[in-house]
Amino acid sequence: MNSKRTPLDLVRAEPEPAHTATFDGTQLAVLPGQTVAAALWSAGVTAWRTTRGTGEPRGVFCGIGVCFDCLVTVNGRPNQRACLVRAEPGDDIRTQHGTGHDDSAEGRGHES
Amino acid sequence: MSRNPYEASDVHDVHDVHDVHEDADGGAAGRSLAVIGAGPAGLAAALAAAVRGSRVTLIDAGTQAGGQFYRQPAEELGARRPQALHHQWRTWERLRDGLADQIATGRIIHLTDHHVWCVERLDEASGFLVHALRGPAQEDPSVVRADAVVLATGAYEKVLPFPGWTLPGVITAGGAQAMLKGGLVLQGRTAVVAGTGPLLLPVAAGLAAAGAEVAALVESAGAQDVARHARNLAAHPDKLVDGAGYVAELMRRRVRLKARHAVVAAHGDGVLEAVTVAALDRDGRVAPGSEQVIRCDTLAVGHGLLPHTDLAETIGCRLEGPAVAVDDEQRTDVHGVWAAGEATGVGGAALSLAEGHIAGCSAAARLAGREPDPRAWEEAAKSRARSREFIASLDAVFAPRAHWAEQVTDDTVVCRCEEVPASAIREAVGELGATDARTVKLLTRAGMGWCQGRMCGPAVAGLTGCEPVPSRRPFARPVPLGVLARAGEDLPDE
């Protein structure tokens, strides 16, 4: 069976060493070049936003920057499209609640 | 990747807007062409025009050329065999190498990570200003001036709603493929691929090859639909071979192919856990009692593609149905604007390449003041005609199933951004008397959110029976107010 094969195996990837970002305060290993969405998927995270109206969880939907469902807060800036933004070393990635403006950089602690 | 040394680096420098090739040629620059989009159509157009002497600026949102079809993994991921996720790799190598050659000779300047939000038409002598945002935050304005423009803006996926389609784990088929090709990631371990259309086959094959267990490929078209168009399809054996190859690969990987079936609901508590799949009768209705639950953590779903026409609309190009209308030379009805690829009607990479090539040849000739000779692109024109004929047959086979709306429960969210349920949309028509999509939007807010109706447009049209109409969005993407406020300041007088 091929249950352990990964996309990296398929293309014989030899990625540069992983760097570290955080997601809601927890360490997240990121392969250089990956978007925030790809980094979160790699860590098994599929939801990183709650909607403004009913607080429903959302993650990537269109994957190409059109649908805005994958909005996330990165380094205190809300409404970043996780499928377009690259994850950089040390990034503070946070679940975005509602409009995201309540958890912007100002006045927010770093406890998750 | 060459950066444009003359590009305005912020709004204060807009008076520095140049034909970007001006100084590369001792100030004696010829007429310039901006090609927007670096997928198959844009690359073919840029190369054809550059080879014929045009000075081309290729402007693209991606960090690397290729578009969605040839989306490349990030270089840092060190993929030694990226072709394992691709189709027609040799064509890509030719495009990639051609681009590198033309960049080296200075005939093409390739601007990556440039998200074009508007193409502004000045007067006939001054040509066009292409306004883009660049950088990871997409807040840095950038303006490129050009005498002519080729729009190769591609397409995005159409997904019709069903209960549970907003659950994390449900992704568009193209989105799953983009995340795989670009980020080399899978969302989960067990996937269902569903909907309709030729894209589902490579998506399912790609996910399976990359290690996902593909529990089923669920296609709403059935053998009868194929049989009905068998003669037309059989006239294109080369194209059928591709499809047959995917089917063989899926069978080898023991993926269940469920034709004339549809996913009618997705289930899960905060995250996808299973889908309900049902058989369809001859009319496309769910066959009672045929429902079956399949456990999965990923649903890759799509019902065809829609052309990206925002930029064409802002310049005032005529549309035909959902696509940009073009003539035999791929010219739009706006002087100086060509369009090629999915923007002029979804038809796949081969058609995009042919259209791009023709657009590039035509634009180069006309920029040089010559009447183009169509014999120069005879082969491409033949390929275009054959592809369009084939696509017409495919579209007939893979039309979204009739009666899909019957499975959309009243509490199903239709507009994902504004969280508008189907009940509100039905009420707008049934009780409030809306007769067109715009009124439905005003009454319900469906289509007023971040995506500006790109995701819910077809669903609203289908649920209400209103004609699908172009949305006439003033900008192709969100623009910071500061950038908008200063656009147009200090523009050159020429």
Side-chain angles (χ1 to χ4, degrees):
Chain A
M1 288 306 286
N2 56 27
S3 60
K4 286 197 176 154
R5 194 176 51 232
T6 69
L8 293 159
D9 300 335
L10 178 66
V11 299
R12 295 196 201 132
E14 293 170 20
E16 291 174 12
H19 61 75
T20 306
T22 60
F23 175 61
D24 289 343
T26 304
Q27 291 218 333
L28 183 71
V30 180
L31 291 180
Q34 285 186 327
T35 60
V36 169
L40 290 172
W41 270 19
S42 295
V45 179
T46 54
W48 49 81
R49 175 168 90 89
T50 59
T51 58
R52 285 173 298 156
T54 53
E56 293 297 318
R58 298 278 176 87
V60 165
F61 184 59
C62 82
I64 63 169
V66 179
C67 78
F68 294 85
D69 244 344
C70 67
L71 297 176
V72 69
T73 297
V74 181
N75 300 328
R77 289 172 47 99
N79 297 321
Q80 305 299 298
R81 279 170 282 179
C83 72
L84 296 185
V85 177
R86 283 187 178 218
E88 302 293 345
D91 272 351
D92 172 20
I93 302 162
R94 299 212 167 235
T95 296
Q96 174 170 328
H97 297 286
T99 62
H101 293 296
D102 291 342
D103 36 44
S104 59
E106 299 85 35
R108 175 176 52 65
H110 283 266
E111 301 302 310
S112 60
Chain B
M1 239 130 291
S2 62
R3 290 296 305 231
N4 167 14
Y6 300 109
E7 200 180 359
S9 58
D10 68 30
V11 282
H12 301 293
D13 295 333
V14 165
H15 61 274
D16 286 336
V17 168
H18 280 280
D19 175 324
V20 293
H21 291 271
E22 209 157 19
D23 286 9
D25 202 28
R31 313 244 298 153
S32 61
L33 180 66
V35 176
I36 302 169
L43 284 169
L47 291 173
V51 164
R52 284 160 184 78
S54 294
R55 297 158 199 290
V56 178
T57 308
L58 178 62
I59 308 168
D60 188 53
T63 51
Q64 300 178 74
Q68 297 304 335
F69 190 78
Y70 287 118
R71 182 185 274 263
Q72 303 296 309
E75 277 169 20
E76 297 93 323
L77 292 170
R80 301 284 170 263
R81 253 191 104 246
Q83 56 268 47
L85 283 167
H86 281 270
H87 193 56
Q88 295 159 3
W89 186 255
R90 290 194 163 210
T91 306
W92 162 247
E93 286 178 321
R94 275 201 300 277
L95 293 168
R96 181 192 66 190
D97 296 347
L99 178 63
D101 290 348
Q102 295 301 323
I103 288 172
T105 64
R107 286 209 183 277
I108 294 181
I109 287 175
H110 180 199
L111 303 179
T112 58
D113 211 3
H114 277 59
H115 303 256
V116 177
W117 55 272
C118 177
V119 178
E120 182 184 358
R121 190 181 180 217
L122 307 173
D123 56 70
E124 202 116 316
S126 315
F128 300 85
L129 294 178
V130 179
H131 297 270
L133 298 166
R134 64 184 179 188
Q138 294 177 41
E139 289 193 337
D140 278 341
S142 149
V143 184
V144 171
R145 202 197 71 75
D147 295 301
V149 176
V150 176
L151 301 171
T153 44
Y156 61 96
E157 203 147 10
K158 172 163 78 180
V159 183
L160 299 170
F162 48 88
W165 77 310
T166 53
L167 279 171
V170 180
I171 181 168
T172 68
Q177 194 179 41
M179 294 289 286
L180 177 56
K181 284 179 176 177
L184 302 180
V185 288
L186 292 172
Q187 178 171 246
R189 298 307 297 178
T190 307
V192 168
V193 179
T196 191
L199 176 62
L200 301 186
L201 288 169
V203 169
L207 295 178
E213 185 200 332
V214 179
L217 192 165
V218 182
E219 164 61 64
S220 63
Q224 303 98 311
D225 303 294
V226 177
R228 214 173 294 139
H229 301 275
R231 256 181 74 185
N232 291 339
L233 294 171
H236 305 270
D238 50 326
K239 310 224 174 194
L240 288 186
V241 167
D242 286 347
Y246 285 126
V247 171
E249 189 183 336
L250 291 170
M251 291 177 78
R252 189 166 55 79
R253 295 189 189 278
R254 297 167 194 269
V255 172
R256 271 184 295 171
L257 301 177
K258 295 175 88 69
R260 204 149 264 266
H261 279 67
V263 165
V264 295
H267 316 282
D269 183 10
V271 63
L272 180 70
E273 289 160 17
V275 295
T276 297
V277 173
L280 304 172
D281 68 16
R282 292 168 89 81
D283 299 325
R285 283 201 167 84
V286 167
S290 67
E291 293 88 349
Q292 178 192 358
V293 173
I294 300 179
R295 296 199 69 80
C296 58
D297 52 23
T298 302
L299 172 63
V301 60
H303 301 103
L305 301 178
L306 289 166
H308 255 305
T309 56
D310 313 273
L311 295 176
E313 285 171 56
T314 57
I315 320 175
C317 301
R318 186 172 66 83
L319 301 190
E320 225 168 57
V324 183
V326 289
D327 69 7
D328 283 352
E329 289 180 33
Q330 300 294 138
R331 287 181 299 179
T332 71
D333 64 341
V334 173
H335 183 77
V337 181
W338 282 254
E342 309 288 56
T344 71
V346 170
L351 179 55
S352 295
L353 288 168
E355 291 190 353
H357 181 79
I358 294 167
C361 292
S362 166
R366 293 194 176 276
L367 278 173
R370 292 193 311 271
E371 187 74 19
D373 178 357
R375 280 176 301 186
W377 60 74
E378 209 166 12
E379 279 306 306
K382 274 187 204 160
S383 163
R384 178 178 61 181
R386 284 178 55 77
S387 288
R388 282 184 183 165
E389 192 184 284
F390 179 70
I391 292 306
S393 302
L394 279 191
D395 283 349
V397 171
F398 295 112
R401 71 186 174 96
H403 308 294
W404 60 266
E406 288 171 14
Q407 269 70 50
V408 180
T409 53
D410 274 348
D411 61 353
T412 301
V413 166
V414 174
C415 171
R416 301 171 68 97
C417 303
E418 293 292 314
E419 298 177 79
V420 182
S423 58
I425 288 163
R426 287 171 170 145
E427 183 192 36
V429 173
E431 289 168 41
L432 304 176
T435 55
D436 63 279
R438 185 178 159 76
T439 309
V440 173
K441 172 172 158 176
L442 292 174
L443 289 170
T444 65
R445 295 194 61 81
M448 282 191 188
W450 273 101
C451 89
Q452 287 289 288
R454 287 173 179 86
M455 293 298 118
C456 67
V460 169
L463 283 172
T464 58
C466 297
E467 199 62 24
V469 285
S471 291
R472 309 225 69 92
R473 306 172 183 109
F475 308 126
R477 59 188 65 249
V479 186
L481 284 174
V483 172
L484 267 188
R486 294 163 114 158
E489 271 182 13
D490 299 318
L491 281 180
D493 293 331
E494 70 231 283

